[in-house]
Amino acid sequence: MTLGPTPAERLNRARADLRMGLPVVLSSPAGAALACAAETLGADRLAGLRAIGTLTLVVTSHRAETLKARAYDGDVARLAVPDDAPLGWIHAVADPADDLTMPMKGPFRSLRDGPADLHRAAVDLAKSAHLLPAAVLVLLAGDAPAGLTALALDELRPLLAAGAVLAPVASARVPMALAEAGRLHVFRPDDGGEEHYAIEIGSPPRDKPVLARLHSACFTGDVLGSLKCDCGPQLHAALTRMNDEGAGILLYLNQEGRGIGLANKMRAYSLQDQGFDTVEANHRLGFEDDERDFRIGARLLRRLGFSQVRLLTNNPAKVRMLESCGITVAERVALKVGQSRHNSAYLATKAAKSGHLL
């Protein structure tokens, strides 16, 4: 028996380190590198990285397209960091906040020699920590500095691909204004990540399709009543429908901002104020249209004993993902509520670019 951290536990340590500005060690059979998240990198650690070797800033192909930089590696672009580039240059290349006021950040020299596996892993790790998908790397010729969290790619890749194992923690009755017969179940992932919740209405039978909703957390819509989206009205309408039918299950998944986190969601909102739509804003930040993992919903449903659902959604991707995970979607139940003058363009973009059936 060992008391040391498992690979999953070291993954969560690595996320925390990146969020604090600490480098992590990534290794593969071809070599090893120190990697820092671009947005949290400070001046002292930048100097420390430069003392080791030549720096590379890696961004996603979406961000590279905005920067007019070549992405020779397909999904990522490795950009040479000039020896005299200040910390502000790295931050400006990673963060599109000032793209319109300072559009000329290049010219960039994109690298194409050697493998990009470590660089790609650094971006994936930053994403999973809800940071901007950009990282600064320096290849190691010798041993890594002591005390840093280290992950091998053969450990990291399957962990990120498979997702965490969710375990039930506690449940209790929670009567709600929209549904008095409510019970809240809390599930905790084994990698130390965010907990997810299931709100069970009534006593739905496990041998029939249950009225279900996969609802991604939306602090601005669910809590603040933001009019920029339809999330709050969808949450309330789903609970009301379940209460009216006497039974249902609402999965509240902590995947804020379509999986990019609240801080990045606010960055996207700021870009939308500059005239970009929701998909364009995500791409300028370096993210995909939607970074959520709906497999979490399938795992929770199975944990609760459900294998068939009547799914409250306008998003066909949720239907496809649940069915690919072995959950039968007996019916898609439309949930068209919450449109206003503030979000009409947002909803039109979701329909046109993300396939939502509105």
Side-chain angles (χ1 to χ4, degrees), residues 178 212-216 218 221-222 226 229-242 250 252 292 312-315 318 332-339 343 346-347 350 356-358:
L178 298 175
R213 163 92 180 145
L214 273 63
H215 189 89
S216 297
C218 179
D222 299 341
S226 168
C229 65
D230 55 344
C231 301
Q234 285 189 323
L235 173 64
H236 297 155
L239 289 173
T240 299
R241 176 76 178 262
M242 292 173 188
L250 188 142
Y252 198 88
R292 288 175 291 182
L312 279 159
T313 187
N314 303 320
N315 185 358
K318 290 184 180 179
R332 184 189 70 83
V333 182
L335 193 61
K336 299 178 182 180
V337 293
Q339 183 168 345
N343 64 26
Y346 163 78
L347 295 178
K350 287 210 299 185
H356 288 229
L357 303 174
L358 300 173

Side-chain angles (χ1 to χ4, degrees), residues 162-191:
V165 175
L166 296 160
V169 178
S171 68
R173 187 177 64 86
V174 181
M176 298 168 288
L178 298 175
E180 288 192 19
R183 174 171 288 274
L184 176 64
H185 304 264
V186 178
F187 292 84
R188 181 173 297 155
D190 67 345
D191 66 355

Side-chain angles (χ1 to χ4, degrees), residues 57-73:
L57 173 60
V58 56
V59 298
T60 68
S61 57
H62 286 307
R63 182 66 183 141
E65 182 178 0
T66 296
L67 296 167
K68 303 296 188 288
R70 293 186 179 275
Y72 290 119
D73 300 305

Side-chain angles (χ1 to χ4, degrees), residues 15 33 48 56 58 71 108 111 158 165-166 169 201 203 220 258 271 281 296 318 338 349:
R15 290 180 178 130
T56 302
V58 56
F108 299 100
L111 306 178
V165 175
L166 296 160
V169 178
I201 307 302
S203 299
T220 51
R258 295 196 211 124
L271 292 174
I296 297 170
K318 290 184 180 179
T349 299

Side-chain angles (χ1 to χ4, degrees), residues 265-286:
K265 175 180 170 180
M266 291 301 97
R267 289 178 168 127
Y269 273 17
S270 181
L271 292 174
Q272 289 171 36
D273 288 340
Q274 296 178 23
F276 301 102
D277 67 34
T278 181
V279 172
E280 291 167 343
N282 266 30
H283 288 181
R284 292 187 78 88
L285 288 166

